[in-house]
Amino acid sequence: MGLLILPILITLLFSVAQGSPQLRRANDRQGQCTYTFTVPSPKEGTCAEPGEAMTAIRELQRENAAVKQDTDGLKIRLSLLEKVVNRLLGGEGTGQSTSSPQSFSDTQVDVRRLMLEKDEWESQRSSLEMSYSDLLKEKASLEEEKQRLTERLEKVQQRQCPQVAETSRNRDQPISPRQAPYVTDSHGGPARTSSAQGKGGPSELSPWGADGVGYQELKSELTALPASRMFPESHSTGQGSATMGTPGCGELTWVGEPTTYRKADNIAGKYGVWMKDPEPVSPFTLDTIWRINTVGADIRQVFEYENLDQLVKGYPTKVYVVPRSMESNGAVVYKGSLYYIRKKSKIIVKYDFRTETVAIQKELVDAGYHGKYPYSWGGYTDIDLAIDEMGLWAIYSTENAKGSIVISQLEPKTLEAKQSWNTTIRKQAVANAFMVCGTLYTIASYSSPTTTVSFAFDTHTGVQKQMSIPFQNQYGYASMVDYNPTEKKIYGWDNFTMVAYDVRLSKM
Ligand SMILES: *[C@@H]1O[C@H](CO)[C@@H](O)[C@H](O)[C@H]1NC(C)=O
Ligand SMILES: *[C@@H]1O[C@H](CO)[C@@H](O)[C@H](O)[C@H]1NC(C)=O
């Protein structure tokens, strides 16, 4: 009878050993069999590349299939074994098929032998059953791993198929991802649809964090006090405009009506940043447009558009994913790099678009952050970066300054503060601020359709003065206001809408 069972077991062991999970058998010195199951552990890709992720997923799928096949095979064979064992236990009556006919006198010996064999088989069976349940567990963990990798792959695909997230309008006609040039047909749609990866793609929105729009706006309501009560009297001496040696520089005298360029498609674009680089470096140009939707718990995507026309149509050339989340919309693009505030920190990150790496990051010493000194509209606008004819600036506040605006001129290469100025303008009392020719200008309201540029602080003279240049918030929620010194324009993001204003300076 043992001869009958042995081939079955051998077959069983063989077939199991062929799949990825391996069952090994060894005889110890007492002639007892020991069985070992080995299942290769899933790959630990901490940051799998898309290709790697795909390969890993395919491997896992193959492994899964193999495991399933093996376990199914095991089940069948186990039940076969059971039948054989039962038959052995059930007595000789059914034993006709056995190859060794026994005489009645031998029966007692056989029965004893069979009892021993039965015990052995029982223990082997239970060990196989245990192994089987281990296999099932392994299978479950493989499936978990597969799920994890699938999610990762989706994220990667989302990065690679930015237009999916960029505009729902284009979702059914994905364009080539990453820098692939695309052609626009005569109907204004993409002439070529490349990968199908965008189809059934991931959701449009970043997952909501605790710091969603509602919370930010609620916070802004709590902190927005009437400006009139918060300004100390200005030190204006009426000295007039500063000593501005820079060509084309002067004092801000007029801001035009906003021109609307584009409305964001979804809530992620209620606030945002859009701008041109005033001093672009090749391969970027003065036409290149940069855009970031800044609502969400994980703001990392930066859209690049070839020009205004492509922005309006919603076709980005490329999407960059910065390595660390940013906070709010204080970011600027200057000389081929993005400067932004890292989430929940006072760290300024310089991200080089050409190498797609972080060139440098540095803490802005003493700066309040993450809701300590935001603009009146909230949105963790504690640290606002700005570009003007003089270069790169940070507009923020500190504990020492007790919430008044501090301005620092930054060295773009090192992010060191070259020089700083204290103003007496309460940061939380103004809606926004921007720099023009070394002078800080602040806007009184983010929601009033007819507000004003109400204060100026000239870093050349240290003179602060009140002013009243009309400024329109056409859409009722201005979250970003930034100056472009090359175009002499103000770029703004007003309640989902990308707008721009012409400006006039006194000596232009
Ligand atoms: C700004 O004010 C702070 C606190 O009063 C002071 O420590 C700092 O030296 C001032 N900075 C400048 C440039 O005046
Ligand atoms: C902002 O825009 C949304 C959608 O266009 C609109 O419903 C809302 O009233 C606007 N908010 C303000 C303050 O105007």
Side-chain angles (χ1 to χ4, degrees):
M1 309 281 161
L3 292 179
L4 166 79
I5 294 161
L6 202 56
I8 298 175
L9 183 64
I10 287 167
T11 324
L12 167 72
L13 296 181
F14 242 87
S15 68
V16 169
Q18 277 164 352
S20 302
Q22 297 196 340
L23 177 63
R24 282 199 204 85
R25 178 193 185 212
N27 283 307
D28 66 15
R29 281 170 199 259
Q30 280 76 44
Q32 298 261 9
C33 294
T34 18
Y35 295 95
T36 332
F37 268 92
T38 336
V39 178
S41 73
K43 280 207 171 70
E44 259 316 314
T46 47
C47 187
E49 287 299 308
E52 276 176 5
M54 275 302 268
T55 318
I57 283 172
R58 270 199 290 271
E59 262 169 35
L60 281 170
Q61 279 167 341
R62 268 201 296 277
E63 237 151 61
N64 254 333
V67 168
K68 190 167 179 324
Q69 222 179 341
D70 289 340
T71 48
D72 289 347
L74 255 182
K75 266 194 219 162
I76 292 166
R77 289 185 174 96
L78 274 173
S79 77
L80 256 174
L81 267 181
E82 205 167 2
K83 272 191 202 135
V84 173
V85 170
N86 283 341
R87 207 190 302 166
L88 286 172
L89 294 176
E92 298 300 301
T94 52
Q96 280 109 3
S97 65
T98 59
S99 55
S100 51
Q102 307 283 311
S103 74
F104 186 76
S105 60
D106 290 333
T107 305
Q108 272 193 320
V109 180
D110 275 347
V111 164
R112 254 199 308 279
R113 191 160 57 83
L114 281 175
M115 291 302 266
L116 285 174
E117 267 185 23
K118 177 211 154 196
D119 284 350
E120 197 189 324
W121 280 113
E122 289 272 281
S123 81
Q124 283 178 2
R125 196 187 118 195
S126 80
S127 101
L128 277 175
E129 273 171 354
M130 262 156 61
S131 304
Y132 175 63
S133 93
D134 283 352
L135 263 185
L136 285 183
K137 275 184 213 141
E138 289 290 351
K139 186 182 167 225
S141 92
L142 279 176
E143 261 160 13
E144 243 168 59
E145 178 68 7
K146 182 188 157 197
Q147 173 71 19
R148 202 176 67 78
L149 280 169
T150 309
E151 275 163 20
R152 181 178 288 278
L153 178 73
E154 273 172 12
K155 281 207 191 101
V156 169
Q157 281 173 344
Q158 185 173 19
R159 277 183 223 163
Q160 290 214 315
C161 288
Q163 63 284 357
V164 175
E166 202 275 330
T167 156
S168 49
R169 179 157 57 91
N170 292 335
R171 208 178 323 168
D172 293 332
Q173 28 174 241
I175 55 169
S176 335
R178 312 273 296 182
Q179 232 172 10
Y182 56 89
V183 189
T184 314
D185 69 19
S186 54
H187 309 292
R192 188 155 62 82
T193 61
S194 63
S195 85
Q197 285 185 333
K199 295 241 168 96
S203 62
E204 304 189 310
L205 286 183
S206 332
W208 288 96
D211 46 359
V213 181
Y215 174 74
Q216 291 182 19
E217 286 176 7
L218 181 66
K219 192 170 163 61
S220 85
E221 271 168 36
L222 291 175
T223 53
L225 297 180
S228 57
R229 289 183 31 215
M230 303 190 69
F231 284 115
E233 72 244 50
S234 94
H235 324 156
S236 175
T237 53
Q239 259 168 292
S241 64
T243 46
M244 291 175 178
T246 312
C249 259
E251 195 182 336
L252 182 74
T253 57
W254 174 85
V255 179
E257 291 185 359
T259 305
T260 298
Y261 290 96
R262 163 104 196 255
K263 213 167 172 69
D265 307 282
N266 58 53
I267 184 68
K270 178 164 185 183
Y271 320 137
V273 184
W274 81 294
M275 58 177 53
K276 291 178 179 176
D277 184 340
E279 296 182 42
V281 292
S282 174
F284 310 115
T285 72
L286 278 172
D287 289 328
T288 310
I289 289 185
W290 304 93
R291 168 190 172 183
I292 310 167
N293 292 331
T294 60
V295 176
D298 185 26
I299 307 163
R300 302 207 297 148
Q301 289 186 333
V302 184
F303 296 90
E304 176 198 333
Y305 299 87
E306 194 184 340
N307 53 41
L308 201 49
D309 189 46
Q310 298 301 305
L311 170 87
V312 170
K313 288 179 178 154
Y315 300 151
T317 325
K318 186 165 176 176
V319 176
Y320 300 78
V321 180
V322 297
R324 306 283 180 159
S325 294
M326 65 185 83
E327 185 134 281
S328 193
N329 55 2
V332 294
V333 179
Y334 184 53
K335 295 184 177 173
S337 290
L338 174 78
Y339 296 79
Y340 70 91
I341 313 305
R342 228 171 100 169
K343 188 176 179 180
K344 290 189 186 161
S345 81
K346 49 186 160 179
I347 296 169
I348 302 173
V349 179
K350 176 182 180 179
Y351 175 84
D352 188 325
F353 284 125
R354 286 172 302 175
T355 58
E356 295 182 38
T357 55
V358 170
I360 189 171
Q361 48 184 330
K362 191 168 179 18
E363 208 176 76
L364 184 59
V365 180
D366 295 336
Y369 63 94
H370 198 62
K372 193 125 202 273
Y373 308 113
Y375 289 132
S376 61
W377 74 268
Y380 302 131
T381 48
D382 300 64
I383 304 169
D384 189 14
L385 300 175
I387 302 291
D388 72 358
E389 291 78 355
M390 312 291 159
L392 179 64
W393 302 86
I395 303 164
Y396 60 104
S397 187
T398 67
E399 199 87 51
N400 276 340
K402 299 186 179 65
S404 291
I405 290 179
V406 176
I407 310 165
S408 292
Q409 186 166 23
L410 304 179
E411 169 53 49
K413 284 205 174 68
T414 61
L415 298 179
E416 298 279 352
K418 290 194 274 192
Q419 201 181 338
S420 298
W421 292 262
N422 292 325
T423 75
T424 58
I425 306 163
R426 286 291 304 272
K427 186 144 185 299
Q428 290 178 77
V430 301
N432 225 306
F434 54 94
M435 299 292 299
V436 179
C437 297
T439 294
L440 173 91
Y441 294 91
T442 65
I443 294 170
S445 165
Y446 61 89
S447 55
S448 162
T450 55
T451 185
T452 56
V453 176
S454 52
F455 272 86
F457 179 95
D458 186 341
T459 60
H460 296 91
T461 59
V463 169
Q464 181 177 309
K465 67 172 186 180
Q466 221 162 345
M467 60 196 326
S468 187
I469 298 173
F471 187 94
Q472 279 186 37
N473 293 314
Q474 191 176 341
Y475 299 99
Y477 211 106
S479 61
M480 166 221 158
V481 180
D482 273 0
Y483 173 68
N484 180 316
T486 304
E487 295 185 310
K488 311 278 181 211
K489 262 183 198 285
I490 287 173
Y491 282 74
W493 195 293
D494 186 356
N495 194 17
F496 295 96
T497 316
M498 286 151 250
V499 296
Y501 307 73
D502 286 326
V503 303
R504 272 186 220 135
L505 308 184
S506 58
K507 291 180 194 163
M508 274 171 75

